[in-house]
Amino acid sequence: MTAAAPPLEEVTGARQELTVVVPVRLLRTPDWAEGPFPFEVGRRRTDTATRATYFAPASARVLYGSPGRPRRWHCPRSVVQDGLHLIGMELLRTATARHVEHALAVLHFTVTRPLLPVLRAIAGRPAAEPGPLTGPLDPGGLLSGIAEVRDGTGPFAIARPYSVAFVTPTAAHTPTLRLGLEGALPATADRWLWQLASRSNPADFPLAPEIAAEQSDRTVRISADWSSMVLRQGAAFLGHRADTGDGDFYEFGALHSRTVYLDALLLGSLQRDHIDELTDELSEIFDGARLARRVATLERNIAGFRSTYWRQHLTAHGPANELLLAFQNQHRLPARFTEILAEAADYSRLVQTQESQQISGALGLLTILGLPLGTALGVLQVLGDESLIHLLVALGLSVAATAGALATRYGRLVLSSLHGGGKP
């Protein structure tokens, strides 16, 4: 009789990589090497030039910077604590119009003990072990003097660090292995993938059978060898055949999960931050006067976001593109941006209506002021009357007629239209 497979919390994969993304606030420009961390496998080195080929030019500039305008820095670092080995760090500047100091810190680990308990601890699950990012692995200490960790307090903020897990199985890990090279996957494979991406075990988040198929639909099948899942708080990559060690394809799989696929998720995080800021601008559009100026600024910021972050938001690499779309869908970014565009269009129409009303009011006021005066002067001219007294009387009568006209309903409408440029 075959022994039952151990739960994922007790499983240590053949190859386990972990990337943790922490929002930080830059205190100064890092004195680290410029560009992303250049991982190497064989002759392949994933530096800026290599990774930029996977993305559209605008996306590459956002992720890697440009000559003279760096946005990303890296630093090798070796720290070992309780089965976690930190091998390097990165900083990606994620400045927005309101928060020029914002950045993301990226910590790269290898893990030599069961990975799911580590992920549960990072997520702060009930009854989880103490958080692993403490002591020598505390991001605040690792980045001391360069950046400080930001608290996630906004309405769409991520309260815990984002994690990207990569696990490959041994021959004994049958719950995730295909039946043959291209055979079917057992149902437990996607359950393992879900636990790694959600950073939870069945007790933390019992997945209802009615929605299990829906969760499986979110899986990105990269190839027969491995799959990925992107959720709101984390992503995971899981192998589906036994890892044979050095020289195995999974060396390149781990490389891609740390580089191109990670960058696709970072690009999604940048998009989320800018959409959050645009949402804040919309909520404050009526705070104070000068609505037209506020709407113009909002429209300019939307145009800048579309040009830099959204218009060319898709990568040139198929799986990376699917991962980015999965991240966007998890955070409802397409729907939220559509709502932003619709709301901004409504405000633009409101401003146009108010400006039209003001123009009409100004023309009406000129009519009210000019008609009595013009009539009085015209009569005097026709009569050939050059008496100063008569002129003053005519001016007085025209002023009285103007005041009377402004006191009418039409006059009050004209005056109110001239004052309608502030709050609605």
Side-chain angles (χ1 to χ4, degrees), residues 7-8 58 65 167 251 284 304 392 396-397 403 406:
L8 182 55
V167 179
E251 286 186 347
E284 299 169 357
L392 293 176
L397 291 173
L406 291 175

Side-chain angles (χ1 to χ4, degrees), residues 38-365:
F39 289 96
E40 297 184 27
V41 171
R43 297 181 179 179
R44 185 172 181 82
R45 178 182 171 86
T46 56
D47 53 15
T48 299
T50 301
R51 290 159 79 162
T53 60
Y54 286 88
F55 294 89
S59 300
R61 286 192 295 271
V62 165
L63 289 168
Y64 312 121
S66 56
R69 301 186 66 181
R71 297 179 63 100
R72 197 159 177 177
W73 302 266
H74 68 271
C75 174
R77 185 70 64 90
S78 181
V79 180
V80 179
Q81 175 180 264
D82 195 19
L84 273 71
H85 180 196
L86 175 67
I87 59 177
M89 302 185 296
E90 300 182 62
L91 279 169
L92 171 63
R93 186 188 296 275
T94 59
T96 63
R98 298 186 176 189
H99 304 287
V100 296
E101 76 285 359
H102 278 193
L104 293 174
V106 182
L107 310 179
H108 296 284
F109 299 92
T110 58
V111 184
T112 57
R113 63 185 179 95
L115 183 55
L116 183 56
V118 176
L119 295 172
R120 293 183 65 244
I122 292 175
R125 300 297 183 194
E129 62 185 41
L133 303 181
T134 58
L137 294 180
D138 177 18
L142 292 169
L143 300 170
S144 178
I146 300 175
E148 59 184 12
V149 177
R150 284 189 279 133
D151 294 329
T153 56
F156 300 102
I158 300 302
R160 295 280 179 171
Y162 195 87
S163 60
V164 181
F166 177 90
V167 179
T168 59
T170 68
H173 298 146
T174 55
T176 188
L177 299 178
R178 285 191 180 276
L179 303 177
L181 292 178
E182 297 182 359
L185 276 174
T188 47
D190 282 347
R191 286 201 287 271
W192 276 25
L193 189 59
W194 163 264
Q195 291 179 56
L196 292 169
S198 65
R199 310 186 297 192
S200 61
N201 61 20
D204 298 325
F205 194 103
L207 195 59
E210 293 82 2
I211 63 171
E214 176 185 337
Q215 300 302 328
S216 296
D217 290 342
R218 299 179 181 181
T219 304
V220 177
R221 304 296 183 194
I222 302 175
S223 72
D225 286 336
W226 57 322
S227 300
S228 177
M229 181 176 289
V230 178
L231 298 179
R232 186 173 176 80
Q233 299 281 349
F237 298 85
L238 180 63
H240 299 310
R241 64 165 177 77
D243 189 338
T244 59
D246 293 343
D248 194 285
F249 158 78
Y250 285 128
E251 286 186 347
F252 290 94
L255 180 76
H256 275 71
S257 72
R258 286 196 188 279
T259 57
V260 176
Y261 298 162
L262 168 66
D263 290 346
L265 299 174
L266 293 178
L267 180 58
S269 183
L270 286 165
Q271 293 173 345
R272 182 199 62 218
D273 289 348
H274 280 78
I275 286 180
D276 288 351
E277 187 161 293
L278 290 174
T279 302
D280 288 342
E281 286 189 60
L282 283 170
S283 67
E284 299 169 357
I285 201 71
F286 295 123
D287 293 351
R290 298 186 177 181
L291 176 62
R293 177 176 295 182
R294 290 175 178 272
V295 171
T297 301
L298 174 64
E299 290 178 331
R300 183 167 57 252
N301 291 340
I302 290 174
F305 169 73
R306 294 181 74 170
S307 175
T308 305
Y309 296 94
W310 195 259
R311 186 180 63 182
Q312 294 177 309
H313 67 292
L314 301 182
T315 74
H317 190 273
N321 185 50
E322 291 186 58
L323 295 172
L324 175 57
L325 292 175
F327 185 95
Q328 291 175 345
N329 290 331
Q330 280 292 312
H331 294 268
R332 296 186 62 252
L333 298 187
R336 289 179 60 196
F337 188 50
T338 298
E339 292 170 359
I340 288 172
L341 292 176
E343 195 168 345
D346 289 341
Y347 296 152
S348 180
R349 286 192 295 270
L350 176 60
V351 169
Q352 292 174 0
T353 299
Q354 290 184 343
E355 290 176 344
S356 297
Q357 290 175 346
Q358 288 180 314
I359 292 172
S360 298
L363 293 175
L365 183 60

